[in-house]
Amino acid sequence: MNTQQHTLPTAIRECADAVSATATGIRGDQLGERTPCEKFTVAELLDHLGRTLISSERAARKEPHPAEAAAAAALGMSPASVADSADRVAAAWGDPGAYEGTTEFGPGEMPAGFAATITLEELALHGWDLAMATGRTFAISEEAGQATLGAVEQIAEQGRTNGAFGPPVSVPADAPAFHRALGASGRNPEWAR
């Protein structure tokens, strides 16, 4: 496991815990709220993140991705199920063997370490989106912020090409690493409901 991969399990766990804390506090009357990720309401973002986490857990465990799992996930993810999925995905990526070789994730096969990078980016950015949309804080350490910034920088070009990221938002160079990651992904760290 290289140095970046060594920090990934810790950062994934920290962001997963923050996602879990955020998700368990979401009320039913907040599901229709807009999020900083403009294409998603809170409910839609829960569905997106929940499906991604289910797929990521399978990727970490090198399990096949059955078609019926995608159909079941499309039925809708509750805040509690997203919190549970975040915990399970962190446990799966906590296994050093998860980073070895290739795995099936998203549109196809990729290096397992890259699947972990995408998982961190999804947890951190969409966790923050959910927290901002529901009036919560999404506090992670500077180390987890640095790992997230590295992940976002690694996939920024691809993210902009496929529409997952918007144009970069200018953030001061001395801002916390997580704020710079948000800006690099096209999010305004000062976003308000």
Side-chain angles (χ1 to χ4, degrees):
M1 195 184 283
N2 68 32
T3 303
Q4 181 187 12
Q5 288 176 332
H6 181 70
T7 61
L8 278 173
T10 303
I12 287 172
R13 168 50 72 190
E14 188 175 333
C15 290
D17 288 347
V19 165
S20 182
T22 297
T24 56
I26 295 174
R27 302 183 317 265
D29 65 336
Q30 295 177 312
L31 295 176
E33 296 288 333
R34 299 303 312 161
T35 71
C37 190
E38 294 180 5
K39 60 185 173 182
F40 293 124
T41 63
V42 169
E44 291 164 343
L45 189 51
L46 286 168
D47 286 345
H48 168 77
L49 184 56
R51 285 192 309 271
T52 300
L53 295 178
I54 289 169
S55 180
S56 178
E57 180 187 0
R58 284 195 179 92
R61 299 188 192 288
K62 311 291 193 295
E63 296 173 353
H65 290 241
E68 63 272 11
L75 297 176
M77 299 289 289
S78 71
S81 63
V82 170
D84 182 57
S85 292
D87 185 58
R88 287 196 326 269
V89 83
W93 286 109
D95 177 358
Y99 297 81
E100 297 172 4
T102 61
T103 192
E104 184 182 341
F105 186 46
E109 194 169 89
M110 64 181 64
F114 188 61
T117 297
I118 294 170
T119 300
L120 174 60
E121 170 267 332
E122 289 283 311
L123 284 164
L125 298 181
H126 288 320
W128 181 83
D129 291 334
L130 287 171
M132 294 303 98
T134 58
R136 288 169 180 72
T137 58
F138 191 80
I140 59 173
S141 68
E142 182 63 14
E143 292 78 15
Q146 285 286 352
T148 301
L149 177 59
V152 169
E153 288 175 340
Q154 186 177 348
I155 62 175
E157 185 176 336
Q158 178 184 350
R160 273 188 256 299
T161 300
N162 68 22
F165 289 178
V169 172
S170 181
V171 176
D174 62 350
F178 186 56
H179 285 196
R180 288 182 280 140
L182 292 170
S185 76
R187 289 164 171 80
N188 180 351
E190 304 302 319
W191 188 89
R193 294 189 288 158

